[in-house]
Amino acid sequence: RKEVEQDPGPFNVPEGATVAFNCTYSNSASQSFFWYRQDCRKEPKLLMSVYSSGNEDGRFTAQLNRASQYISLLIRDSKLSDSATYLCVVKAGTYKYIFGTGTRLKVLA
Amino acid sequence: NAGVTQTPKFQVLKTGQSMTLQCAQDMNHEYMSWYRQDPGMGLRLIHYSVGAGITDQGEVPNGYNVSRSTTEDFPLRLLSAAPSQTSVYFCASSYSPPGGARDTQYFGPGTRLTVL
């Protein structure tokens, strides 16, 4: 079993739609959680950290469920510019970041 | 700030050749790391460093060497290139302390390496 698992997609959604991605992790001792965005042939960039109480940044909402060991990302009012691959990242040790394989999102006009 | 820079952007090697991928950051970050990204796989950690003079192995270290003589630079050396090392290589840096907003990793633009 992979340490961090994501549905690879692709998720094809129309503009304005709401879309949600989930990510599960296997190490219950994981400390920090993040969503990164990666555009085609570019480097990953931090989208948002994920806090236990849930957090929101504009149209993006991240949730953490430690009991079930999953993280979610909700995107409301999807824009064409949201098309990208979204990487779930779990920090499992002081210097150990585990990356999921990513979920591809394509927002259609 | 330039952030994290990597050179070269593209490289083609023949099997058995050696080369060094360069990485530099100007954010005074203690933690630096090298990842490789292959299709269908998440980024995998090759080596990392928690400060000048300190390096350690990640998940896939075989065939690679690193050194950290300064805070700014963290080069990755391929000793004898093999086709299995064809990949996209990303360097990243962050503040060392775990947790919190300062835990963010900043990535360089990547080096696309092909080994024939």
Side-chain angles (χ1 to χ4, degrees):
Chain A
R1 184 188 169 189
K2 290 182 181 175
E3 292 186 77
V4 175
E5 294 207 61
Q6 295 183 252
D7 181 342
F11 285 62
N12 295 323
V13 302
E15 266 188 298
T18 295
V19 61
F21 309 136
N22 286 332
C23 164
T24 58
Y25 61 95
S26 60
N27 187 342
S28 59
S30 299
Q31 304 160 353
S32 306
F33 309 89
F34 310 87
W35 284 102
Y36 277 72
R37 170 192 170 128
Q38 186 173 26
D39 293 293
C40 187
R41 302 179 73 79
K42 299 281 192 182
E43 73 272 22
K45 291 184 179 176
L46 179 69
L47 179 65
M48 58 199 303
S49 301
V50 186
Y51 303 120
S52 297
S53 54
N55 49 300
E56 192 172 301
D57 183 1
R59 298 182 292 108
F60 299 85
T61 300
Q63 298 277 357
L64 167 63
N65 185 319
R66 283 191 186 270
S68 301
Q69 294 181 205
Y70 79 80
I71 307 145
S72 65
L73 177 68
L74 182 79
I75 306 175
R76 290 182 299 278
D77 188 23
S78 300
K79 312 287 185 196
L80 293 175
S81 58
D82 294 333
S83 297
T85 297
Y86 291 84
L87 307 176
C88 173
V89 183
V90 172
K91 192 171 186 185
T94 304
Y95 305 113
K96 186 179 179 185
Y97 295 86
I98 309 295
F99 284 76
T101 53
T103 298
R104 278 178 50 211
L105 171 66
K106 189 165 184 180
V107 181
L108 307 171
Chain B
N1 283 356
V4 181
T5 57
Q6 289 184 240
T7 55
K9 285 191 167 56
F10 301 94
Q11 183 70 50
V12 178
L13 291 178
K14 294 181 180 175
T15 297
Q17 287 185 312
S18 62
M19 79 158 295
T20 299
L21 308 186
Q22 301 292 343
C23 174
Q25 53 91 9
D26 60 359
M27 297 175 281
N28 202 30
H29 286 170
E30 295 178 17
Y31 178 84
M32 296 185 74
S33 54
W34 276 101
Y35 293 89
R36 60 177 289 174
Q37 187 174 35
D38 301 293
M41 308 188 76
L43 277 80
R44 292 181 292 168
L45 184 65
I46 303 171
H47 285 285
Y48 66 92
S49 168
V50 301
I54 307 169
T55 64
D56 207 345
Q57 296 181 349
E59 183 185 354
V60 288
N62 291 342
Y64 308 95
N65 270 358
V66 291
S67 59
R68 185 95 179 268
S69 55
T70 66
T71 300
E72 295 78 20
D73 300 298
F74 190 43
L76 178 74
R77 278 182 288 279
L78 278 71
L79 308 172
S80 177
S84 61
Q85 293 179 303
T86 294
S87 188
V88 181
Y89 291 84
F90 289 104
C91 178
S93 73
S94 68
Y95 290 105
S96 286
R102 290 163 73 84
D103 209 11
T104 304
Q105 287 202 87
Y106 296 86
F107 285 83
T111 294
R112 282 170 173 73
L113 176 68
T114 301
V115 182
L116 302 175

